[in-house]
Amino acid sequence: MNDLFSSDEDQDPGDGGDAAGERDDDGARQRPRSPLAVRMRPRSLDEVVGQQHLLTPGSPLRTLAEAPQGGPAGPSSVMLWGPPGTGKTTLAHVVARGPGRKFVELSAITSGVKDVRRVMDEALTSRDLHGVTTVLFLDEIHRFNKAQQDALLPGVENRWVVLIAATTENPSFSVVSPLLSRSLLLTLKPLTEEDIAGLLVRAVKDERGLAGRVELSDEALEHLVRLAAGDARRGLTALEAAAGVAYSERDPDVEVPAVLLEHAEQALDVAALRYDRAGDQHYDVTSAFIKSLRGSDVDAALHYLAKMLEAGEDPRFISRRLMISAAEDVGMADPTALQTAVAAAQAVQMIGMPEGRLILAEAVVHIATAPKSNASYKAIGAATADVRAGYGTGVPPHLRDAHYPGAKQLGHGKGYIYSHDQPHGVATQQYAPDDLVGKDYYQPTANGAERDISARLERLRGIIRGK
């Protein structure tokens, strides 16, 4: 049977065949093939897609993967930090193929301190008795607690093992400092669309992949690349599923069926969001959201709003960010923006989701398209700086509370001018402390409503200061 997914052909011994297997039309037992993403795993650094900034000659990963050249530097333990599907596990397995290496793989999800200590003991024996370097690949290291990570320190520091640790979370927050200082932090970048497209095309043709048993249309390729969102594993998984659909619907007279757009859409019809509500993506998307509002890009702001909501972000958190943005970035250029943001926060609590997204969208549009001014933000910042620096010699006596017994004997309230008794309701008198008289904190812009405020403020300051 010329089956696309069940064959002994090109099956690596370690690809995980099933003892029971399947049987073809003649009763011959077939071994199920490993997932396409596993079969297409690179065997050398030259086959690695993307991450070329980490693979330059003499780089730590090159040093780990290639035969030692007798140089002054030995292999270094590394932390591979990056989003899913960028090649962390792939790079570890490529390094494992290096000469004179013993490869051990642990998962932080299922391993404990005992497993780590056992690996360390065996690594020390392998190094001293057999001259073999143990490469320990530890996946999801951020799931290890402090005690488990501390157990790695002696082996890493004395190079009993060369540690390759992978994590999707920022190691600065999830890995203990002593272990981090003994390792090189390598940041993996999301794969580009060109990287993913090249990998999918190669997987269609490669004997380890689909071996040319299907063709891939340009429209299907474009769809799969977009849905992969920089994740090689997701792209290969979607390709395999789309190929399965195409193969099952093939015309018996067509030897090599084509994977069309409709097959790709059936395989994966919704793009999975990459968003960690407690990790980097939470902060990165929030930052982009706020900066898009500040930059008046309403379309980008709506995109990030939709992404947060679809990923399950708390709408109350979004509401709080909108209120802050309205006060910090719009300010008095459009005072109604804060009113809209506050009203949106209250309405979302009363209505809930999913209808609450409409209210949040209205607030986003208002804030993004409003004239911008951070004059109020800068004003309170400058005033706070002066207070912290010790300026402000006290409240002038005529402004002090004069209602309690004995206050008048202290001169409190003496000479105070009631503003409403003056023309236009503004009195000429000193309000600021003596050492801050004439200090202008609020400097309105010429944007939006602040154009009018600027002229009025100039008149007010003139009357108050007697100019």
Side-chain angles (χ1 to χ4, degrees):
M1 179 181 66
N2 188 21
D3 195 299
L4 186 61
F5 305 108
S6 297
S7 172
D8 285 325
E9 185 180 352
D10 303 315
Q11 185 85 343
D12 289 337
D15 275 352
D18 187 349
E22 299 178 0
R23 296 184 183 275
D24 61 15
D25 295 336
D26 298 325
R29 190 163 58 190
Q30 301 285 334
R31 284 188 299 172
R33 306 200 76 183
S34 297
L36 183 60
V38 174
R39 304 202 306 270
M40 289 302 298
R41 185 168 285 161
R43 294 166 293 190
S44 69
L45 291 181
D46 294 331
E47 292 184 3
V48 172
V49 174
Q51 315 307 337
Q52 296 307 306
H53 64 293
L54 301 179
L55 303 177
T56 56
S59 65
L61 287 177
R62 285 277 180 192
T63 302
L64 277 172
E66 297 172 352
Q69 301 297 320
S76 302
S77 293
V78 296
M79 295 276 174
L80 300 178
W81 172 36
T86 51
K88 298 183 293 296
T89 305
T90 292
L91 288 171
H93 281 272
V94 170
V95 168
R97 296 176 179 267
R101 304 277 197 270
K102 175 186 175 184
F103 186 72
V104 178
E105 183 173 357
L106 293 179
S107 171
I109 299 175
T110 57
S111 303
V113 174
K114 280 187 177 181
D115 300 299
V116 172
R117 289 176 177 165
R118 174 180 53 79
V119 170
M120 295 300 169
D121 292 340
E122 293 175 356
L124 184 58
T125 301
S126 297
R127 187 196 67 174
D128 293 344
L129 296 184
H130 308 293
V132 175
T133 299
T134 298
V135 175
L136 171 60
F137 176 56
L138 182 58
D139 200 12
E140 306 283 349
I141 189 174
H142 56 271
R143 295 180 180 270
F144 258 13
N145 60 34
K146 183 179 184 299
Q148 292 169 318
Q149 292 186 30
D150 285 343
L152 295 165
L153 288 175
V156 173
E157 184 168 18
N158 297 294
R159 202 171 282 167
W160 302 341
V161 298
V162 175
L163 174 67
I164 302 178
T167 178
T168 57
E169 297 189 4
N170 191 330
S172 298
F173 304 114
S174 58
V175 178
V176 295
S177 297
L179 185 58
L180 197 58
S181 67
R182 289 163 173 79
S183 309
L184 298 176
L185 177 59
L186 304 181
T187 303
L188 281 70
K189 299 178 181 178
L191 301 181
T192 65
E193 291 188 352
E194 291 76 14
D195 292 333
I196 299 294
L199 177 61
L200 298 185
V201 170
R202 191 172 78 197
V204 170
K205 299 176 181 178
D206 197 296
E207 288 298 319
R208 290 180 296 152
L210 303 182
R213 295 175 185 170
V214 296
E215 295 177 348
L216 185 59
S217 70
D218 293 341
E219 294 80 7
L221 175 62
E222 181 180 352
H223 185 69
L224 293 171
V225 167
R226 180 174 59 83
L227 292 184
D231 187 328
R233 187 184 301 109
R234 182 183 300 150
L236 289 169
T237 301
L239 170 62
E240 187 171 26
V245 174
Y247 207 77
S248 65
E249 297 179 356
R250 72 188 187 280
D251 187 329
D253 297 328
V254 176
E255 184 176 352
V256 181
V259 178
L260 304 176
L261 177 59
E262 54 263 34
H263 301 139
E265 290 174 338
Q266 291 181 55
L268 190 66
D269 60 352
V270 177
L273 283 176
R274 177 178 294 157
Y275 189 94
D276 182 358
R277 290 177 56 191
D280 297 327
Q281 278 291 307
H282 165 79
Y283 296 105
D284 289 345
V285 173
T286 302
S287 175
F289 177 56
I290 295 301
K291 289 171 181 173
S292 298
L293 290 169
R294 181 181 301 141
S296 300
D297 191 332
V298 63
D299 305 296
L302 286 169
H303 163 75
Y304 292 120
L305 171 66
K307 187 164 189 173
M308 288 189 288
L309 292 175
E310 286 298 304
E313 186 63 80
D314 188 343
R316 295 173 298 177
F317 167 78
I318 299 173
S319 298
R320 291 193 295 270
R321 299 312 305 177
L322 288 172
M323 288 187 283
I324 294 169
S325 179
E328 178 180 344
D329 298 316
V330 178
M332 291 302 294
D334 181 0
T336 65
L338 181 56
Q339 298 171 16
T340 298
V342 173
Q346 296 172 341
V348 167
Q349 291 195 46
M350 289 188 288
I351 295 173
M353 300 299 289
E355 291 83 0
R357 76 187 193 282
L358 306 176
I359 298 163
L360 292 173
E362 181 177 334
V364 165
V365 170
H366 187 159
I367 294 170
T369 58
K372 301 299 189 294
S373 170
N374 67 344
S376 298
Y377 170 77
K378 292 169 66 176
I380 187 60
T384 302
D386 277 352
V387 170
R388 291 176 177 174
Y391 292 103
T393 53
V395 178
H398 61 281
L399 298 182
R400 296 180 183 178
D401 183 13
H403 291 86
Y404 63 90
K408 290 186 178 181
Q409 285 78 5
L410 296 174
H412 292 190
K414 184 177 181 180
Y416 171 67
I417 302 172
Y418 188 52
S419 298
H420 293 289
D421 292 339
Q422 303 302 306
H424 312 295
V426 182
T428 299
Q429 68 179 337
Q430 178 183 335
Y431 290 95
D434 292 342
D435 56 343
L436 292 177
V437 171
K439 185 67 177 284
D440 297 341
Y441 290 120
Y442 178 49
Q443 301 285 352
T445 68
N447 301 332
E450 281 194 325
R451 285 193 302 269
D452 299 329
I453 292 174
S454 181
R456 185 165 186 270
L457 180 60
E458 185 177 356
R459 294 194 299 271
L460 288 171
R461 283 172 174 164
I463 297 172
I464 293 169
R465 297 170 184 177
K467 296 180 181 178

